[in-house]
Amino acid sequence: MDESLISLFIDDEMDLDEKIVFVETVHASRPFTTEAVDLLEQEKLLRILPAPAPVSAMAGWLDKPLFSWSRFFGSWWPPAAGFVTAMILVGIGFMFMPKQPPLASPAEHRFVLFLPQASQARIVGTFTDWNPVPMHKIGASGYWSLTLRVPQGQHRYSYLVEDGDRIVDPTVTAREQDDFGGDNSVIVVGDGNDAPVS
């Protein structure tokens, strides 16, 4: 039998003329066909099994450490290291970001109204969510007073007297018309400007 012809076929080292000879031989000789099939089956098994390591590669295996971080962490380690590095850089970036000014705390503001003929006085405004808050009568002086913690910023308000009549603060010159045809007083609280808007 011509085993070299079979070997050339298995290793795909034939030119077209040799392939023609191989096919004709397989067709003409049953023993040649059987041997070619047996050698092909053997080649399949050899290709499934891992190739033995060369002696030179095995000679240094004792020089390698028994523990390796790359073997322990596997393939997830590089992406995890990248993620941790990115988080550290983001944290450092936050450290150098401009700081937001702290939110200003509400300031105490005293509202005073001279209304000696009134039996009650209330205040409504942006700082009360437009809910009426009763004012306190100061003895028989005719003054009504109320001190509230008002958030810093610009505010609109008015007084409610007797049966709900609305009046602006006569001590504040800044006014703004509301959506109902009335006026509101306008003040700015905080930043040392705890004063009416002019």
Side-chain angles (χ1 to χ4, degrees):
M1 297 277 170
D2 189 0
E3 289 184 9
S4 63
L5 191 62
I6 296 172
S7 178
L8 287 172
F9 177 78
I10 290 172
D11 295 335
D12 198 22
E13 295 177 353
M14 293 181 159
D15 61 23
L16 290 176
D17 291 331
E18 290 171 325
K19 288 181 180 179
I20 291 170
V21 171
F22 178 80
V23 171
E24 289 173 343
T25 307
V26 166
H27 186 64
S29 170
R30 183 76 182 148
F32 181 82
T33 303
T34 303
E35 187 171 349
V37 169
D38 289 344
L39 287 172
L40 284 166
E41 291 292 338
Q42 184 179 3
E43 185 67 22
K44 275 176 39 181
L45 290 174
L46 290 173
R47 289 187 184 186
I48 291 173
L49 298 173
V55 175
S56 61
M58 293 182 69
W61 78 275
L62 286 176
D63 298 337
K64 294 181 182 176
L66 294 177
F67 178 79
S68 166
W69 285 106
S70 63
R71 272 190 274 153
F72 178 73
F73 287 115
S75 63
W76 65 269
W77 172 245
F83 176 76
V84 169
T85 303
M87 289 296 100
I88 290 170
L89 292 175
V90 166
I92 291 171
F94 275 117
M95 288 173 35
F96 292 105
M97 283 180 63
K99 303 285 186 232
Q100 292 287 338
L103 293 175
S105 58
E108 284 195 351
H109 188 82
R110 185 171 185 235
F111 298 90
V112 179
L113 178 64
F114 182 69
L115 244 119
Q117 74 281 9
S119 61
Q120 71 171 350
R122 295 171 292 167
I123 189 170
V124 294
T126 54
F127 44 84
T128 69
D129 289 329
W130 298 102
N131 294 316
V133 176
M135 298 181 74
H136 308 288
K137 191 170 190 177
I138 303 173
S141 66
Y143 283 97
W144 295 82
S145 171
L146 180 65
T147 301
L148 293 174
R149 292 187 59 76
V150 179
Q152 295 193 24
Q154 192 175 76
H155 295 281
R156 286 136 187 85
Y157 70 100
S158 59
Y159 297 112
L160 296 177
V161 292
E162 302 302 331
D163 293 327
D165 293 335
R166 283 180 64 162
I167 62 170
V168 292
D169 190 332
T171 64
V172 175
T173 57
R175 309 260 165 87
E176 183 177 273
Q177 193 170 23
D178 63 17
D179 295 336
F180 306 104
D183 286 333
N184 289 312
S185 300
V186 181
I187 58 168
V188 174
V189 175
D191 295 333
N193 294 333
D194 196 2
V197 175
S198 48

